[in-house]
Amino acid sequence: MSSISPFFRRECKITADGSHTLYLPQYNEHYHSVHGAIQESSHVFIEEGMNKLDPDVDPVHVLEVGFGTGLNAFLCLQEAVKTGKKIEYHAIEPFPLTMAEAGVLNLPGLLADGSHTDDFLAMHRAPFLQMLTIRHTFILKKYKENIEDVELPDHYFELVLFDAFAPHVQPDIWTEAVFSGIYRAMKPGGILTTYCAKGSVKRALRACGFRLSHPPGPAGKREMTRAIKPN
């Protein structure tokens, strides 16, 4: 079970790069880095995740733990549009935004000149547990469940974006048990990337068999974590 209560309020905040994030005052926790939501997601999940995959992989099967504002999915959609590569995107989010919350975020307006705003809202509007074609190169399936309760297919995902709330807020998510299930769901050579480089998280990943590296982190963080499932 997640340690986050489903009965919380969220406040929209501006980060250092001008992009919005959400803030949980009762947990003193932001959905993204206050140094810049877009710069963090672009660095951790696109530059150090998507762009590190074998360029010949097509389609790309992506699992995201923590859909949140939809920023990571939106950046991946843009990659699919830009490259023409098909992305099948599975997103886990037990506490989805309302359409009113999603509608005030400035994220789609700051990316691609706002041309994909309808796609951004369509992702938030998408029903759960259904495969929905947002663009012909981007298919989305969302799960309104905790990661522990989702039945993941074996050897399926090339890329995992692990973007849950920080370990001090959601300690039950950053565990060997959870990472073991994700490890089984990944293809050999698959990449898991996350902003977190906490020692306990590194140890849990290594215990599952991942091979770790720690590239420089986004603004405000010394390092991040990239975990590879060995071939």
Side-chain angles (χ1 to χ4, degrees):
M1 290 291 293
S2 170
S3 55
I4 294 285
S5 166
F7 305 105
F8 56 73
R9 63 188 177 91
R10 293 178 277 226
E11 300 175 358
C12 189
K13 299 289 185 180
I14 292 282
T15 64
D17 66 1
S19 56
H20 279 152
T21 190
L22 294 174
Y23 174 64
L24 303 180
Q26 59 272 59
Y27 298 101
N28 191 29
E29 181 76 356
H30 292 83
Y31 274 55
H32 308 95
S33 170
V34 296
H35 296 281
I38 288 176
Q39 71 85 23
E40 178 189 41
S41 287
S42 297
H43 178 81
V44 174
F45 300 115
I46 302 301
E47 294 173 22
E48 298 295 342
M50 180 71 71
N51 292 349
K52 300 299 182 183
L53 293 174
D54 184 331
D56 293 330
V57 174
D58 188 5
V60 179
H61 302 89
V62 179
L63 173 66
E64 181 183 21
V65 181
F67 181 75
T69 65
L71 175 56
N72 299 330
F74 191 59
L75 290 170
C76 287
L77 180 145
Q78 289 188 303
E79 289 296 306
V81 171
K82 180 174 68 176
T83 65
K85 184 176 294 188
K86 185 175 181 179
I87 295 177
E88 182 181 300
Y89 200 96
H90 296 248
I92 298 172
E93 180 51 72
F95 311 115
L97 272 59
T98 65
M99 288 307 300
E101 289 174 314
V104 301
L105 297 174
N106 68 359
L107 303 172
L110 295 177
L111 294 163
D113 300 321
S115 59
H116 299 156
T117 297
D118 289 346
D119 296 328
F120 179 80
L121 295 176
M123 291 193 296
H124 282 281
R125 195 179 293 115
F128 291 91
L129 298 179
Q130 294 184 30
M131 299 291 284
L132 182 68
T133 299
I134 306 295
R135 288 285 183 113
H136 74 280
T137 54
F138 190 89
I139 299 172
L140 173 67
K141 183 177 182 180
K142 298 192 300 183
Y143 305 78
K144 190 181 177 181
E145 301 176 72
N146 295 313
I147 177 63
E148 308 97 309
D149 301 321
V150 177
E151 292 189 15
L152 298 172
D154 289 343
H155 313 301
Y156 194 74
F157 299 102
E158 289 91 6
L159 180 63
V160 175
L161 313 180
F162 204 92
D163 201 18
F165 290 117
H168 70 275
V169 178
Q170 283 189 298
D172 298 340
I173 304 298
W174 303 82
T175 64
E176 185 178 338
V178 169
F179 289 135
S180 179
I182 291 174
Y183 186 91
R184 289 194 301 272
M186 294 172 64
K187 291 180 180 178
I191 296 173
L192 179 152
T193 183
T194 180
Y195 64 88
C196 185
K198 188 175 180 180
S200 61
V201 173
K202 297 177 185 178
R203 289 190 292 273
L205 287 165
R206 287 194 186 99
C208 296
F210 283 106
R211 187 173 70 247
L212 304 189
S213 62
H214 300 287
K221 286 187 69 69
R222 183 172 63 87
E223 64 179 21
M224 52 166 285
T225 299
R226 185 168 61 239
I228 297 176
K229 180 176 180 177
N231 287 312

